[in-house]
Each structure stands twice: as C-alpha cells, then as structure tokens.
Amino acid sequence: RASELCKLAGAKRAVALPVSGAFHSPLMVAAGDELYPFLREARFQHAKIPVVMNVAADFNTSGGDFAPMLTMQISGSVRWDESMRLLISEGVDTFIELGSGEVLSGLMKRLSKEVAVLGVRDNQTTLGVAQILQSAQANEVVELPEPPSVIYHLLKKEMWEAAPDTDYASDTLETEGFTHCSTADQLVDSANRHFRSRNGIVVVEIDVASVQSEIKYEAAANGTVYPHIYGVLNRSAVKRVVDIVTGPDGRFLMPSELNTSEGGV
C-alpha cells in the first residue's frame, strides 16, 4: 500500500524491503512491551567497556539501563550516524563490521576518511583482522604517569575479612568484583560502576613501596591508566582498611579518612 501511494505521489520506483517485521517503527511498540519482562530477568551487569546505545547515541555502562534501552530499540530509530560520530570524537580510529555484508563499512568510509574500517565475514577475514590489530597494538606506545605512592583496592568487606592474615591473593576475587585504583576519580567511579551492592564495601590502602609482587600500569580502552598487582599482596604492604559509604543519592562517596591530596592519589 505504501509503494502504491509513493508512485501516485510521483516516485519513479518503490521497493519493498525483505524484512520479517516493521522494526524501528511505532508498529513494534507492543512487541517491545512483551519482550521487556524477559530482558529484566536477564539481570545485566555493569559494562566494563562503555556501550553506545542505538536509541540514545550516547555511552552507557549501567546494567540497569540495558533492558529498557533494548526494549526501546525495537521500535525506536537507529541513531547510527550520531553514534559513529560520537565514537570518532572520543578518539576511536578503528571500526570492525561483523557479519556477511559490507553495508556499514561503506557507510563508515563515507562518514570519515580518517578512520580504519575492517570487516569480519569468515575465518580468513577474522585471521586477517586479528593480525592487523595485533600489529597495531605492538606498535602502540602508551605514556604512563609517574607511579603513585598508594594504590587503592576496592572489594567486598566479607571477602577481605575471610582472606588469610599473612597474604592476600587478589586475583582470586576477580569474579566477585574488585578493582585497583590510583586516583580519587578512579576510586569513586569504579565503586559506583562495579558494585551493585551499596553496603559492605571497603577500600584497602596499599603502600606501593612495600608491595612484594609485580605491579603493572595498564591503559584501559578509554585511555585511563590503572595499576594492577600481579600475584599475592603481602599484608605488610596494607596501610589501612576503610569502609566506603553512600551519600543521600545512594552513590558511593570518597571516604573522608583517605588523604587524596598527595602523591598523585
């Protein structure tokens, strides 16, 4: 019917798209409403790498937002152009299209001539893209800041209390949720992004000079540099353990006991 009306209005050609549904249109609102309860049951975790959502064209890491966002995506417009421009503005210089086609790769090349556009369609192209990325990573030079004198270690209080008195194998708690930080901004941001439980979280303040295991400073995808303690943390390096509390809005606050004005911390 739409094709007929288009031709009557003067269109030279009207092509029916071979799709299974009227996705990204108001006709799909009811389908989204039926899907939403199932998405809620999925219990999304917070994203470690920010996700650009189609319906918002903006970064998001909150697990609580993913179910409603995915629901709205079914009937909402795909703001692809805005999303790609956002990524470019944030310094992303390599884009990879996954799938059998090359439509998005073509659109991306027209959108920007300054970025690399790669495609993964089969085993051969997968290996080729992997080699390109490995080569680029090997040649990338990351400028690391001066090592701080203190590292903060965020984790659940019950896990810390259950750890042996002599040492503490921090890598065993990865699945329970933990992170190392070296600045005040990292400390508060990591607490609010990685811990859904709003109580029973502690900050372990660690003296870098006393740590016996290897410490590496690594850059995350967003360019932020984080310290990581590889191996067992000896208890003699722990300066103190401080409870981290929440403010009136339910978000974690910087513990007032911590001195964050010295040593780059």
Side-chain angles (χ1 to χ4, degrees):
R1 177 60 179 156
S3 297
E4 294 173 1
L5 291 175
C6 287
K7 291 178 180 178
L8 289 174
K12 293 183 179 180
R13 186 184 182 197
V15 179
L17 298 178
V19 295
S20 57
F23 302 112
H24 311 296
S25 79
L27 295 174
M28 297 299 292
V29 170
D33 291 341
E34 292 185 18
L35 178 63
Y36 181 71
F38 296 96
L39 292 174
R40 289 294 300 170
E41 291 180 4
R43 297 180 181 178
F44 291 95
Q45 296 185 25
H46 297 315
K48 294 181 179 180
I49 299 175
V51 179
V52 179
M53 309 299 292
N54 280 344
V55 293
D58 200 1
F59 292 108
N60 199 309
T61 59
S62 174
D65 291 341
F66 291 149
M69 285 286 188
L70 288 170
T71 301
M72 289 187 288
Q73 179 174 309
I74 296 176
S75 58
S77 299
V78 178
R79 300 169 65 179
W80 187 86
D81 186 277
E82 294 173 77
S83 298
M84 297 305 103
R85 292 184 186 278
L86 173 66
L87 290 170
I88 293 173
S89 70
E90 291 294 321
V92 177
D93 58 9
T94 304
F95 293 80
I96 303 172
E97 180 174 7
L98 307 179
S100 59
E102 298 179 276
V103 174
L104 296 179
S105 295
L107 293 174
M108 196 69 217
K109 291 176 181 177
R110 289 198 291 271
L111 184 65
S112 174
K113 303 294 184 183
E114 307 299 323
V115 300
V117 182
L118 308 173
V120 170
R121 295 176 295 279
D122 49 31
N123 289 341
Q124 184 176 357
T125 53
T126 301
L127 293 174
V129 168
Q131 291 175 353
I132 292 173
L133 296 179
Q134 289 172 356
S135 176
Q137 187 175 21
N139 295 328
E140 182 179 0
V141 178
V142 178
E143 295 185 5
L144 300 180
E146 288 295 323
S149 60
V150 171
I151 289 178
Y152 295 128
H153 184 58
L154 284 168
L155 74 160
K156 296 177 182 178
K157 186 175 184 178
E158 61 186 36
M159 302 302 294
W160 174 256
E161 293 177 343
D165 293 334
T166 54
D167 52 34
Y168 167 63
S170 60
D171 56 346
T172 61
L173 295 182
E174 186 168 2
T175 57
E176 295 296 332
F178 79 93
T179 184
H180 291 127
C181 307
S182 59
T183 68
D185 289 343
Q186 289 176 1
L187 177 64
V188 176
D189 179 65
S190 295
N192 284 300
R193 285 204 297 155
H194 295 293
F195 291 93
R196 284 182 286 181
S197 173
R198 293 299 175 181
N199 53 62
I201 306 300
V202 296
V203 180
V204 180
E205 190 175 5
I206 303 165
D207 179 18
V208 172
S210 302
V211 176
Q212 297 174 1
S213 296
E214 182 182 14
I215 299 177
K216 292 183 180 180
Y217 295 85
E218 301 173 349
N222 62 1
T224 303
V225 176
Y226 292 90
H228 295 274
I229 298 175
Y230 285 82
V232 174
L233 170 63
N234 50 301
R235 287 284 185 133
S236 59
V238 176
K239 298 178 66 175
R240 55 182 168 169
V241 180
V242 179
D243 291 332
I244 183 168
V245 298
T246 56
D249 61 352
R251 291 177 60 82
F252 287 116
L253 299 175
M254 170 64 64
S256 58
E257 299 95 320
L258 296 179
N259 180 1
T260 60
S261 60
E262 299 179 359
V265 176

